[in-house]
Amino acid sequence: MRGAANSLKYLLLAAALAYPLMPFRDVYVLHVLVLIMVYMVLAMGLNILPGFCGLLDLGFVGFYGIGAYTAGLLTVHYNMSFWLIVPLAVINGALFGVLLGAPTLRLVGDYFAIVTFGFSELVVLFLTNEIWLTRGPLGIPGIAPIALDVTWLATLLGIDERWRYVFRGEMPYYYLAMVMVALVYVVMRRVEDSRLGRAWLAIREDPMAAASCGVNLFAYKVIAFAVSTGIGAMAGAFLARWSQFLSPDMFKFWESFLVLCMVVLGGLGNINGALIGSVILIALGEVLRVVLPKLGLPAETRFLAYGLIMVLIMRFRPNGIFTQVAESTMQSRLIKDLRARLDARRTA
Amino acid sequence: MLEQQLVNGFTLGLIYALIAVGYTMVYGVIELINFAHGEIYMLGAFLTLSFISMGLPLPLAVVLAMLAAAAIGVLLDIVAYRPLREAPRLAALITAIGMSIFLQNLAMIIWGSRPLPFPRQALPAFFSEPALTFSDVTISWMQMLIYAVAVVLMVGLNLVITKTRVGTAMRALAQNQTAAALMGINVNRVITFTFALGSAMGAMAGIMVSMYYNTMYPTMGYLAGVKAFAAAVLGGIGSVPGAMLGGVVLGIAETLGAGYLSSPYRDGVAYAVMILVIIFRPSGLLGRAVTEKA
C-alpha cells in the first residue's frame, strides 16, 4: 500500500516534469499549472500560522502584495535582476510582518485575525491611492521577464559571448515554479520536524503549558509570522515577473480567503494537504469560471462553493480531507506519538 | 461645513453603532467574532426590498425583514456555530468567515451582483427634504428617522439587557458560562436570543442605510461589517454602551477624515483606528482588559 502510494507520487512527479516537453502540451494548462504552484507556495506559507501555531491570519495576501510590488517596482525602476529581487522582497515582506506582528501577537488570537485583515486592506488602499509610486488602479504593466545572466561564467572561461537566457512563454516559469515549490516544501518539512516546529506545535496545542516548559511564546510567534510573510512575499516576487503586470485588484481579501480555504481543505498544519488543496481549488475555480456564466451567474459566485467547503470541513472533517497524507509528512516518532495522543484526547 | 460633516458623521456613526452591538453581544456571550454579521445587515436591506415588491406596505416589510434576519441569525448559530462550541476557537472563526462568504454569494445569486435602488415609492415623499435648517446645516427627514430609530432601538436594547431576566442571563453568560449554567440558565437559549436580537438590529441598520443612500448590493455587508467591528473594538468588545459610543466616534472620525485629510483613504480610517486601538488599548474605550487566553 505504502509502496503503491510512493510509486504514484513519483509517477505524478515524473509526469509533471515531462508535461511541458510533450507535443500535446497546452499553453492554457501550463498557465494554470504555474498558477497552482504559486498558490502551493502561498498555501504552504500561510499554513505556518493557522496550521502550525493556531493563529488565524486573514491578511496573508497583503504580504503577497508587498512582495509583488517590491519586485515590480525594483524591476521597472532599477532593472534589477530577479535573483537579487527575491531576497529583497522576502526581507521586505518579513520586515512588515515583524512590524505588524510584534505589537499584535501578544493579543488574543481573534484580535490578531482582525489586525491582519485590517492591515491587508490598508495595503490595498495604499497600492490604489499612492499613484506616484504604484500608478494606482492603472497597475504596473511591462515588468520585464526573468532573465538568467551567466555572462560572468563565460568571461571566467574566457569565452567572449553573452550567456543570457530570458524566460519567455510559460515553460521556464513552470520549471522555476517547480523549483520554488520544492524548495519551500523541503524547508517546511524540515522545519516541522525541528525544534522550531515543535515549539509552534506546543504553542498551538496549549500556550500556557508551552510557556511553562520554557517556550518563548512571543519570540516563536514572531518567527512564525516572519517566515510566513517572507514566503508570501517570495510568491509575490515570482508573480510580478511571471504575469509582468500588477494591479491592486490582484491583492484583495478574496485571495487571502482562497489561500485559507486551500489550507483548511488540505487540513490545518498539513503540508501535503496544502499542496492538494491548491490543486483542487484552483482547478475547481477554473471549471466554475467557465460553468457559472453558462448558468447565468457571475463568476464571483464560485466563492459560494469555497465558503461552503470551509464550513463543512470545519464541521465534519476538522483535520482536512486528507488525514492519511498528514500522517506521512511527519518523520519524528516522538511527535507522531504526541499527536496521536492529543487527537485521542480530543476525540474522547 | 464642519457642522454639516458632524451631522453626516453622526448619522453614519449611529448606523455603525447598530451593527456593532450585534458583534459585541455575540462576542460577549460566546467569544466569537461573528464575521457573518455584516451579511445579516445586507440581508436586512434585500429582504425588505423583496417584501415591498411582494406588495407589502413599508412598515410591515421592515418588521418582517427584521424577523427574518433574526431567524437567519439564529439558524446561523444553530447550524454553523453550535456544533463547534467545544472545538478549538480557530475552527469557529474559520466557520464564521466561511458563512460570511457563503451568505454574500448566495445573495449575489438571488438578487444579482449589481446595486439595486431602494423602492422610493414606498417611502413618503418628504423624506429626502430637509427637516431642520440652521444657517448652512441641514438635517433631512431621513436623518431624523435614523436618529429616532437608532435611539429607540438602543434604549430598548439597554432596557432588555439591564432590566429583563434574559438580559441578566446574557450578562451572566458573558461573565462565566459554566457558573451561569450551574445557576440553571439555559445557555443555548440565551445564545439564541442574543443572535436574534443582534441580527434584528443589524438588519435594521441595513434597511436604513439602503434608504439613506438609496442603494443596496450583495457586498455591502463586507465593508460595513468590518467598520462596525472596528467600532465594537474601539468601544471595547463585549460592552454594549461601548459599541454605541464606538460607532458614533468612528462615524464622525471617518467623515472628518474623508473631509479634511484624504478622501481616498476614507475606509482606511476605520482600519487604522482598529489597528491602533487593538495595539495600544485593546480594552477599548469602555471595555474590560483583554489578555491572552489559553
Side-chain angles (χ1 to χ4, degrees):
Chain A
M1 183 61 214
R2 192 167 165 78
N6 253 335
S7 338
L8 184 69
K9 208 162 66 184
Y10 289 119
L11 210 64
L12 275 176
L13 189 65
L17 274 171
Y19 178 74
L21 306 171
M22 293 292 128
F24 54 82
R25 65 172 186 261
D26 182 86
V27 177
Y28 169 71
V29 174
L30 268 183
H31 181 85
V32 172
L33 287 174
V34 178
L35 192 67
I36 286 176
M37 287 191 275
V38 171
Y39 277 95
M40 280 177 168
V41 173
L42 287 173
M44 282 190 286
L46 177 65
N47 182 42
I48 297 173
L49 291 168
F52 293 166
C53 307
L55 291 164
L56 185 54
D57 178 357
L58 293 178
F60 190 59
V61 74
F63 301 98
Y64 179 44
I66 288 175
Y69 268 83
T70 308
L73 292 171
L74 285 178
T75 309
V76 170
H77 293 304
Y78 302 103
N79 200 17
M80 207 181 260
S81 156
F82 176 72
W83 316 104
L84 233 114
I85 281 177
V86 168
L88 287 178
V90 169
I91 290 169
N92 200 22
L95 190 71
F96 273 99
V98 171
L99 282 180
L100 180 70
T104 43
L105 282 166
R106 293 180 190 279
L107 299 163
V108 185
D110 303 3
Y111 276 13
F112 177 73
I114 279 294
V115 168
T116 49
F117 172 81
F119 175 77
S120 81
E121 291 292 295
L122 280 178
V123 169
V124 173
L125 274 178
F126 180 87
L127 297 180
T128 315
N129 291 313
E130 297 305 311
I131 293 170
W132 59 274
L133 183 67
T134 64
R135 288 173 35 97
L138 294 173
I140 305 180
I143 300 168
I146 298 173
L148 193 59
D149 196 339
V150 283
T151 313
W152 56 269
L153 188 65
T155 325
L156 210 68
L157 296 172
I159 307 166
D160 188 26
E161 270 174 44
R162 198 140 182 258
W163 285 6
R164 190 161 182 274
Y165 174 66
V166 179
F167 283 32
R168 297 201 193 284
E170 299 287 349
M171 204 206 288
Y173 289 99
Y174 179 88
Y175 286 114
L176 182 63
M178 263 187 144
V179 171
M180 186 167 68
V181 169
L183 194 77
V184 175
Y185 181 76
V186 169
V187 169
M188 284 297 111
R189 286 280 297 266
R190 300 295 300 154
V191 162
E192 191 188 21
D193 271 336
S194 71
R195 190 182 171 80
L196 188 61
R198 290 198 299 275
W200 287 342
L201 178 68
I203 292 173
R204 186 186 72 187
E205 292 302 332
D206 191 337
M208 209 178 284
S212 319
C213 294
V215 175
N216 184 339
L217 295 188
F218 181 64
Y220 279 106
K221 281 190 200 171
V222 171
I223 293 173
F225 203 44
V227 174
S228 166
T229 53
I231 292 175
M234 180 168 79
F238 178 86
L239 176 85
R241 300 292 291 260
W242 171 51
S243 69
Q244 298 170 28
F245 173 76
L246 292 175
S247 89
D249 283 351
M250 297 158 84
F251 306 102
K252 295 226 154 145
F253 173 65
W254 300 105
E255 295 295 313
S256 287
F257 178 76
L258 183 59
V259 179
L260 182 64
C261 195
M262 289 166 181
V263 174
V264 167
L265 183 67
L268 288 166
N270 179 346
I271 303 169
N272 287 343
L275 300 183
I276 299 172
S278 321
V279 176
I280 293 180
L281 285 189
I282 293 295
L284 180 71
E286 291 299 316
V287 171
L288 288 179
R289 204 199 294 274
V290 178
V291 171
L292 285 174
K294 290 200 175 131
L295 300 172
L297 295 169
E300 300 87 66
T301 44
R302 65 181 184 276
F303 278 92
L304 181 99
Y306 302 159
L308 206 58
I309 287 173
M310 267 167 94
V311 174
L312 292 178
I313 294 268
M314 279 294 123
R315 172 79 175 83
F316 298 107
R317 300 292 294 268
N319 292 324
I321 42 173
F322 308 105
T323 36
Q324 312 89 314
V325 192
E327 298 296 327
S328 62
T329 44
M330 278 170 294
Q331 309 273 313
S332 156
R333 183 177 295 276
L334 196 73
I335 299 290
K336 269 185 179 170
D337 288 353
L338 190 67
R339 280 211 182 171
R341 267 188 283 161
L342 282 168
D343 287 344
R345 195 181 68 181
R346 205 174 286 146
T347 47
Chain B
M1 187 59 191
L2 173 68
E3 293 83 355
Q4 187 66 50
Q5 299 269 26
L6 285 174
V7 167
N8 295 345
F10 184 65
T11 314
L12 194 62
L14 284 177
I15 302 275
Y16 290 158
L18 278 181
I19 315 171
V21 289
Y23 276 111
T24 222
M25 285 195 300
V26 166
Y27 197 92
V29 294
I30 56 172
E31 296 202 339
L32 169 72
I33 302 176
N34 178 15
F35 284 104
H37 189 57
E39 272 53 54
I40 302 279
Y41 152 93
M42 172 271 294
L43 286 174
F46 276 102
L47 287 169
T48 310
L49 176 77
S50 291
F51 286 134
I52 288 176
S53 56
M54 280 177 205
L56 298 177
L58 179 70
L60 188 62
V62 168
V63 171
L64 280 180
M66 282 174 80
L67 288 176
I72 294 171
V74 169
L75 202 66
L76 179 72
D77 174 51
I78 292 175
V79 172
Y81 302 152
R82 188 175 292 179
L84 296 174
R85 290 265 204 275
E86 304 301 321
R89 288 164 66 118
L90 187 64
L93 214 52
I94 289 176
T95 301
I97 298 267
M99 283 314 294
S100 159
I101 305 281
F102 174 77
L103 288 175
Q104 191 174 318
N105 286 286
L106 193 65
M108 218 180 268
I109 290 175
I110 297 175
W111 287 285
S113 56
R114 263 169 300 183
L116 297 175
F118 194 86
R120 275 288 164 147
Q121 67 280 10
L123 290 175
F126 65 87
F127 257 35
S128 43
E129 285 164 27
L132 294 170
T133 314
F134 314 99
S135 63
D136 55 350
V137 181
T138 36
I139 304 178
S140 68
W141 280 106
M142 188 63 233
Q143 286 176 321
M144 294 294 270
L145 177 77
I146 292 177
Y147 299 161
V149 170
V151 167
V152 167
L153 283 182
M154 284 182 194
V155 170
L157 179 70
N158 255 331
L159 286 177
V160 168
I161 290 176
T162 51
K163 296 283 194 279
T164 62
R165 275 179 74 84
V166 65
T168 314
M170 277 167 67
R171 284 180 288 138
L173 232 65
Q175 280 185 7
N176 188 330
Q177 197 156 334
T178 317
L182 287 173
M183 294 301 118
I185 291 173
N186 184 336
V187 172
N188 273 332
R189 196 182 294 168
V190 176
I191 293 174
T192 299
F193 181 77
T194 310
F195 268 92
L197 205 59
S199 302
M201 302 202 51
M204 191 66 211
I207 296 166
M208 287 193 303
V209 157
S210 62
M211 285 186 199
Y212 186 43
Y213 293 122
N214 192 26
T215 182
M216 61 184 83
Y217 44 96
T219 49
M220 68 193 264
Y222 167 67
L223 209 54
V226 177
K227 288 180 180 172
F229 184 79
V233 169
L234 175 62
I237 193 101
S239 155
V240 172
M244 296 175 185
L245 180 67
V248 171
V249 171
L250 190 71
I252 291 175
E254 184 186 315
T255 315
L256 292 185
Y260 292 98
L261 295 176
S262 146
S263 61
Y265 280 102
R266 180 187 185 102
D267 300 331
V269 173
Y271 304 131
V273 165
M274 184 167 75
I275 293 177
L276 292 177
V277 170
I278 287 180
I279 291 176
F280 293 108
R281 196 179 157 78
S283 58
L285 296 171
L286 302 178
R288 287 172 289 149
V290 185
T291 45
E292 178 76 68
K293 283 176 190 160

